[in-house]
């Protein structure tokens, strides 16, 4: 299948901004998603962006999409210790089986006081 | 609404045993999916269903079977459990194509 790549770890201090990056290869990707997974829990949708957009802002979250470079980023402003979790980038397109999500391996975000 | 409910939350199986992981959703979603998550990896698609009576293989279907007799339920069957099936299993559902996926809390399975 098509690839979704993310860096594996990110550590930031409380109050700083976090930027998590993702690249993907499927040029037909329609929607791109960010999911959050806390320890022992399922995946929670944080935000998503349609492929014809280049930016979406939702409170502390800003998603940037560079479709030409197939690069997606998630910026979390004023990062808090409760933001410590694994963040998954995912894409869907009509080339995916049953429009299933294709996930990256996840970025572990550690927020230190 | 309960959303997507998976049972059991944890299970230990011996090699060669079989079991069924249950998944039910109460949102009247057409699409349902089973993923497995191995440590340090993303989620891999095992099977999916686009509606009652319709199922198809995903990326890693070997050793598993599914059925979809109702819109609500999408059980995953493991026959002859193997250590390679030790993983966390997630069920998900969506209303239609390319819409928000809702996930269950996961089933942590260990095969010894």
């Amino acid at each position: 299948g098509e690839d979704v790549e993310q860096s594996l770890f990110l550590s930031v201090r409380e109050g700083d901004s976090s930027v998590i990056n993702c690249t993907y290869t499927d040029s037909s990707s329609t929607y791109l998603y960010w999911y959050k997974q806390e320890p022992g829990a399922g995946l929670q949708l944080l935000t998503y962006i349609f492929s014809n957009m280049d930016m979406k802002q939702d409170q502390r979250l800003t998603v940037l999409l560079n479709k030409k470079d197939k690069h997606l980023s998630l910026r979390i402003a004023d990062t808090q210790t409760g933001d410590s979790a694994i963040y998954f980038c995912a894409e869907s397109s009509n080339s995916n089986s049953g429009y299933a999500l294709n996930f990256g391996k996840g970025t572990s975000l550690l927020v230190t006081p | 609404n309960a959303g997507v409910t998976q049972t059991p939350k944890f299970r230990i199986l011996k090699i060669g045993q079989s079991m069924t992981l249950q998944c039910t959703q109460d949102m009247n979603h057409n699409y349902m999916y089973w993923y497995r998550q191995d440590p340090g990896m993303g989620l891999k698609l095992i099977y999916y269903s686009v509606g009652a009576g319709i199922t198809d293989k995903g990326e890693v279907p070997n050793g598993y079977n599914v059925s979809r007799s109702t819109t609500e339920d999408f059980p995953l069957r493991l026959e002859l459990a193997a250590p390679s099936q030790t993983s966390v299993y997630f069920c998900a559902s969506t209303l239609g194509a390319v819409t928000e996926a809702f996930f269950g809390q996961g089933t942590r399975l260990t095969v010894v």
Side-chain angles (χ1 to χ4, degrees):
Chain A
E2 301 287 349
D3 287 333
V4 177
E5 300 285 342
Q6 302 176 238
S7 53
L8 294 182
F9 300 102
L10 177 65
S11 179
V12 300
R13 299 187 81 87
E14 191 173 21
D16 289 348
S17 292
S18 308
V19 179
I20 302 172
N21 294 302
C22 170
T23 58
Y24 60 98
T25 59
D26 188 352
S27 57
S28 66
S29 293
T30 310
Y31 280 91
L32 295 126
Y33 302 83
W34 285 104
Y35 278 85
K36 177 183 180 182
Q37 184 181 34
E38 297 185 22
L43 276 73
Q44 172 197 359
L45 178 67
L46 283 178
T47 187
Y48 64 91
I49 189 168
F50 189 53
S51 59
N52 69 353
M53 299 169 64
D54 52 20
M55 188 183 90
K56 181 178 181 181
Q57 189 151 1
D58 184 1
Q59 298 182 334
R60 292 191 297 124
L61 305 178
T62 303
V63 179
L64 296 178
L65 174 61
N66 182 328
K67 194 173 179 182
K68 174 177 168 290
D69 293 339
K70 299 189 186 69
H71 181 268
L72 182 74
S73 68
L74 174 69
R75 178 176 181 271
I76 305 173
D78 187 26
T79 315
Q80 303 296 308
T81 55
D83 293 324
S84 292
I86 301 176
Y87 291 80
F88 289 94
C89 173
E91 61 88 21
S92 68
S93 75
N94 56 14
S95 64
N96 293 0
S97 301
Y99 300 97
L101 296 177
N102 187 22
F103 287 87
K105 293 182 180 180
T107 299
S108 283
L109 174 64
L110 176 65
V111 183
T112 56
Chain B
N1 283 344
V4 179
T5 303
Q6 290 183 236
T7 56
K9 287 189 168 50
F10 304 94
R11 183 74 186 268
I12 298 174
L13 275 184
K14 293 185 177 179
I15 294 172
Q17 287 185 320
S18 61
M19 77 164 291
T20 299
L21 282 67
Q22 301 292 345
C23 175
T24 188
Q25 52 90 9
D26 61 359
M27 297 173 283
N28 203 31
H29 284 176
N30 293 317
Y31 291 71
M32 295 188 75
Y33 308 88
W34 275 106
Y35 294 89
R36 59 176 288 173
Q37 183 183 28
D38 298 319
M41 304 292 288
L43 280 71
K44 298 290 186 186
L45 182 67
I46 305 171
Y47 269 94
Y48 67 96
S49 168
V50 300
I54 306 169
T55 63
D56 209 342
K57 296 176 181 178
E59 188 180 353
V60 290
N62 291 346
Y64 307 94
N65 274 301
V66 293
S67 59
R68 184 95 183 270
S69 56
T70 66
T71 299
E72 294 79 20
D73 299 307
F74 189 40
L76 177 72
R77 178 88 177 157
L78 277 72
E79 307 281 4
L80 297 174
S84 61
Q85 292 178 305
T86 294
S87 190
V88 181
Y89 292 84
F90 287 101
C91 178
S93 72
T94 69
L95 178 60
V98 199
T99 56
E100 178 183 353
F102 291 82
F103 283 80
Q105 292 299 298
T107 296
R108 186 174 296 275
L109 175 68
T110 303
V111 181
V112 297

